[in-house]
Amino acid sequence: MDFSADSSYLQVSTGSYKRQVYEVPSGKQLVDQAVIDRITWATWTSVLGDEVIGIWSRHAEKADVNCACVSHSGINLVTGDDFGMVKLFDFPCPEKFVRTCFCIVTTKSTDDIMVSYCFFRRCMMEISPALNL
């Protein structure tokens, strides 16, 4: 569930894999795609929508990708799937079947650190919450 930057809209992903957008506070469902496309979202945790179509691999089933989260800067998207993979994408990710960086996530008891190994870019990076990505 995500609110728009101005808190006028709410987006949810349903159990039937549909993205729905509602006006706040009326609760009226918004169906005009042109209006939906112009909304700036404060957060993005949906695995559905044109903005994230590239997170789905060629052979993925609807239930394979379980979660998504856009960074605070709005330029990266991290997803989690049924295969235990955490993947890093550029955001938005509107092109189908985008190549991605595969990430390994580890959490320490004192602070959270995400260590990712990028197979396609052949780089190693360490991201800590202090970077405020």
Side-chain angles (χ1 to χ4, degrees):
M1 176 171 45
D2 301 293
F3 280 94
S4 62
D6 64 1
S7 299
S8 297
Y9 301 98
L10 171 74
Q11 78 171 347
V12 296
S13 299
T14 69
S16 58
Y17 300 99
K18 293 183 181 169
R19 175 184 176 202
Q20 295 179 339
V21 177
Y22 296 93
E23 293 178 350
V24 174
S26 71
K28 179 182 173 192
Q29 186 173 355
L30 189 62
V31 292
D32 185 347
Q33 191 60 46
V35 174
I36 293 171
D37 290 342
R38 289 192 305 268
I39 297 171
T40 300
W41 297 99
T43 59
W44 189 284
T45 58
S46 178
V47 297
L48 305 174
D50 292 339
E51 296 86 344
V52 294
I53 199 133
I55 68 173
W56 299 93
S57 67
R58 189 172 311 278
H59 304 291
E61 296 179 10
K62 286 183 178 178
D64 286 348
V65 181
N66 302 310
C67 58
C69 186
V70 171
S71 64
H72 294 292
S73 64
I75 60 172
N76 298 110
L77 171 74
V78 176
T79 64
D81 65 27
D82 281 351
F83 309 106
M85 296 298 297
V86 176
K87 298 178 182 178
L88 179 66
F89 297 89
D90 291 331
F91 184 81
C93 187
E95 296 179 34
K96 289 185 176 182
F97 318 126
V98 172
R99 291 185 131 196
T100 182
C101 301
F102 293 90
C103 306
I104 302 167
V105 176
T106 60
T107 303
K108 295 185 178 184
S109 58
T110 55
D111 60 321
D112 295 336
I113 297 174
M114 181 169 76
V115 178
S116 78
Y117 178 73
C118 308
F119 291 101
F120 297 111
R121 296 184 187 141
R122 289 181 172 70
C123 67
M124 181 70 85
M125 66 182 163
E126 196 172 292
I127 302 172
S128 75
L131 294 177
N132 199 17
L133 297 176

